[in-house]
């Protein structure tokens, strides 16, 4: 006779566990090695082990029900059985993605983004996402995603996008309760371009979300994307590449040839930036001043060099900011209004001294 505490195995399928209780209808509750209670017909189990050479293992006495719970029945307690994971055809090849979905597509230029880890395979994936920080790795997110599911892992504001220049994703794949073909450890690096998040057409229809999303492939059909090679020389190259990426793009210069060569820099936002979507007036002004300062630094060793900065009239905010910098940061440099005939009333000429 099977008793609570006996070790049993199933007759009609693999597996088994310890008997923890009984339910009406000749049902026995079997706790497997993962701690789940599985209801099974008593005729479908067989005892395989008794504790202490046939002596039943001591069982804690059942708790006395509360005085006001006269209808208490141990058989009524919740069953914690969890159904096995359903697998799909073709899902034994690993495919996983990071997906970014606009939180509010109607306010695209200002919306934040929801970041999902998408597991499109029959394997569990335990993952970590690492951000680069001062040449080291900083843990950003970690977790486990069940087979053929997606998991929301973060909400990202627009102002945080520049922190995601590069992201390393590491993961291991496995199955539970059944044999499987082991997969190589995932170790890839994803490179992000913040400008993509300002372009509506980069968010495309996909199989995982009802709305357009920006997908970054981690692994697809068992092929890892951009494998991360941990090699000191390669790491140094990556760090140098990151510094190069951080440099401002080449600003269009107009030079007047002749005895006095003049460099002309147009500081209008439309000339400096592909798009200003999502940028505040303060963001634009800071970028214009960065170009102004970078230009003076570039030509700082060329004594006598004349540089024309076209800033336009507008409300005069950019011009006042430039004059303020010249008065306090570049006191040795001479400046004056540029030729009205050539540049109108919206340009300042600076002479390197």
């Amino acid at each position: 006779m099977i008793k609570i505490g006996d070790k049993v195995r199933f007759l009609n399928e693999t597996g088994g566990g310890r008997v923890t209780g009984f339910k009406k209808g000749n049902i026995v509750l079997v706790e497997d090695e993962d701690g789940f209670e599985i209801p099974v017909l008593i005729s479908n189990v067989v005892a395989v082990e008794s504790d202490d050479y046939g002596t039943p293992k001591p069982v804690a006495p059942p708790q006395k029900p509360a005085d006001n719970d006269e209808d208490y029945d141990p058989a009524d307690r919740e069953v914690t059985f969890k159904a096995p994971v359903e697998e799909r055809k073709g899902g034994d090849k690993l495919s996983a993605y990071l997906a970014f979905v606009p939180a509010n597509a109607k306010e695209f230029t200002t919306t934040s983004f929801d970041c999902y880890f998408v597991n499109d395979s029959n394997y569990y994936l335990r993952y970590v996402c690492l951000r680069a920080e001062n040449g080291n790795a900083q843990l950003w997110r970690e977790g486990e995603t069940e087979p053929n599911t997606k998991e929301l892992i973060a909400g990202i504001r627009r102002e945080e996008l520049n922190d995601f220049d590069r992201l390393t994703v590491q993961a291991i794949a496995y199955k539970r309760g059944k044999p499987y073909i082991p997969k190589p450890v995932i170790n890839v690096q994803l490179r992000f371009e913040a400008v993509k998040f300002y372009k509506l057409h980069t968010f495309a229809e996909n199989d995982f979300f009802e709305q357009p999303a920006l997908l970054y492939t981690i692994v697809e059909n068992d092929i890892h994307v951009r494998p991360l090679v941990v090699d000191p020389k390669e790491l140094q190259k990556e760090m140098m590449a990151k510094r190069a990426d951080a440099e401002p793009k080449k600003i269009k210069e107009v030079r007047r040839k002749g005895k006095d060569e003049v460099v002309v820099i147009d500081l209008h936002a439309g000339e400096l930036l592909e798009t200003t979507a999502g940028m505040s007036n303060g963001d634009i002004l800071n970028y214009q001043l960065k170009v102004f300062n970078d230009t003076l630094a570039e030509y700082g060793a060329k004594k006598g060099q004349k540089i024309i900065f076209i800033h336009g009239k507008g409300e005069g905010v950019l011009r006042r900011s430039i004059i303020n910098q010249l008065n306090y940061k570049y006191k040795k440099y001479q400046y004056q209004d540029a030729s009205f005939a050539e540049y109108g009333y919206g340009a300042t000429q600076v002479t390197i001294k």
Side-chain angles (χ1 to χ4, degrees), residues 1 62 73 75 81 131 152 238 269 298:
M1 180 177 178
D73 185 343
F81 168 71
R131 278 168 36 184
L152 176 64
E238 282 292 315
E298 180 181 354

Side-chain angles (χ1 to χ4, degrees), residues 109 198 268-281 283-284:
T109 59
Y198 293 94
H268 284 97
E271 294 294 327
L272 302 180
L273 298 164
E274 293 183 4
T275 176
T276 58
M279 298 180 68
S280 66
N281 291 336
D283 294 334
I284 295 173

